[in-house]
Amino acid sequence: MSAEFEQLVAEFEKFQSKIKQAETQFAKVGEMQGELAELESVATSPDRSVTVVAGPGGSVKDIRLSPEALRQQPQQLAAAILSTLHTAVADAARKQAGIVDARFGGAFHLNVEEQVLEAQAEALGTTADDLRSQMSEEPPQNTARRPRNEDDFSEETVLRRSDEPTPGPAPSGGNSAGDQFLKNLFDEEDHR
């Protein structure tokens, strides 16, 4: 064989190797997309009155309120919902970054999870080490279902499911308890 032919064979083998590497990377992308689609993070308020389930990209999949939550003052409930929502979304972002790192971080030296932690720490006015220690202190979420009590709404969602029809406009002149709650909530927010 000539040296020129051997060089062509070597180049072709390198090309085939690159194609196999690309196929492997594409397979990893598909696996990663599947993991991301299933990602969920559950956060519960310290008093256990509010539970939020967050998904990839900061999506909110569910918000559950206990009967105790409905007895709280509107501002207190709003603060508990927001705090729990932020916790769930932040945890989902860290999990999402961890999935990306697990699939591609080593090969590309991305360290996305660390970048997310640092960005969250900066936004919260703390350090990444403080966030890490808080994450390790958080007890695992209990997702087991309890027997249903008629007055227990903790397993009920306050979000409309995608297969539910959108309700029509409310009758004019009506002043339901829910309307009054929202009016008070927004009126109090406006006066701050």
Side-chain angles (χ1 to χ4, degrees):
M1 278 199 275
S2 72
E4 196 174 287
F5 182 73
E6 287 178 13
Q7 183 180 0
L8 283 174
V9 169
E11 289 295 322
F12 182 72
E13 287 173 353
K14 282 194 327 192
F15 179 71
Q16 282 184 317
S17 174
K18 295 276 186 197
I19 288 175
K20 286 181 183 179
Q21 286 176 343
E23 288 172 348
T24 301
Q25 293 299 332
F26 283 126
K28 285 182 179 181
V29 168
E31 292 168 5
M32 182 180 70
Q33 287 174 327
E35 284 183 66
L36 290 173
E38 294 175 9
L39 180 138
E40 281 191 350
S41 178
V42 179
T44 302
S45 62
D47 65 358
R48 310 204 52 76
S49 65
V50 176
T51 301
V52 175
V53 181
S59 64
V60 177
K61 292 183 167 188
D62 196 11
I63 298 175
R64 294 186 291 262
L65 305 175
S66 72
E68 291 77 28
L70 301 177
R71 291 187 201 74
Q72 295 178 19
Q73 292 298 314
Q75 290 174 314
Q76 183 183 8
L77 178 57
I81 291 172
L82 276 176
S83 174
T84 308
L85 180 81
H86 289 154
T87 301
V89 169
D91 185 54
R94 289 188 298 267
K95 285 181 179 179
Q96 192 170 346
I99 290 170
V100 172
D101 276 344
R103 294 289 176 192
F104 297 105
F108 298 106
H109 308 290
L110 297 174
N111 207 3
V112 178
E113 193 169 12
E114 187 63 28
Q115 292 175 27
V116 167
L117 265 174
E118 288 173 9
Q120 289 177 348
E122 185 177 326
L124 297 170
T126 187
T127 67
D129 289 336
D130 286 344
L131 282 180
R132 268 189 221 86
S133 69
Q134 290 172 9
M135 290 168 22
S136 63
E137 292 171 9
E138 293 174 6
Q141 299 295 330
N142 181 4
T143 57
R145 296 224 175 226
R146 298 183 309 270
R148 178 84 162 103
N149 172 341
E150 281 184 30
D151 296 328
D152 180 4
F153 300 100
S154 63
E155 298 296 324
E156 296 296 321
T157 182
V158 296
L159 301 176
R160 182 180 308 117
R161 299 197 191 290
S162 61
D163 59 345
E164 288 181 23
T166 304
S172 61
N175 209 7
S176 70
D179 292 339
Q180 192 61 42
F181 168 80
L182 290 173
K183 183 179 182 309
N184 290 341
L185 179 67
F186 289 112
D187 285 346
E188 288 172 13
E189 289 289 320
D190 290 339
H191 296 300
R192 286 187 186 173

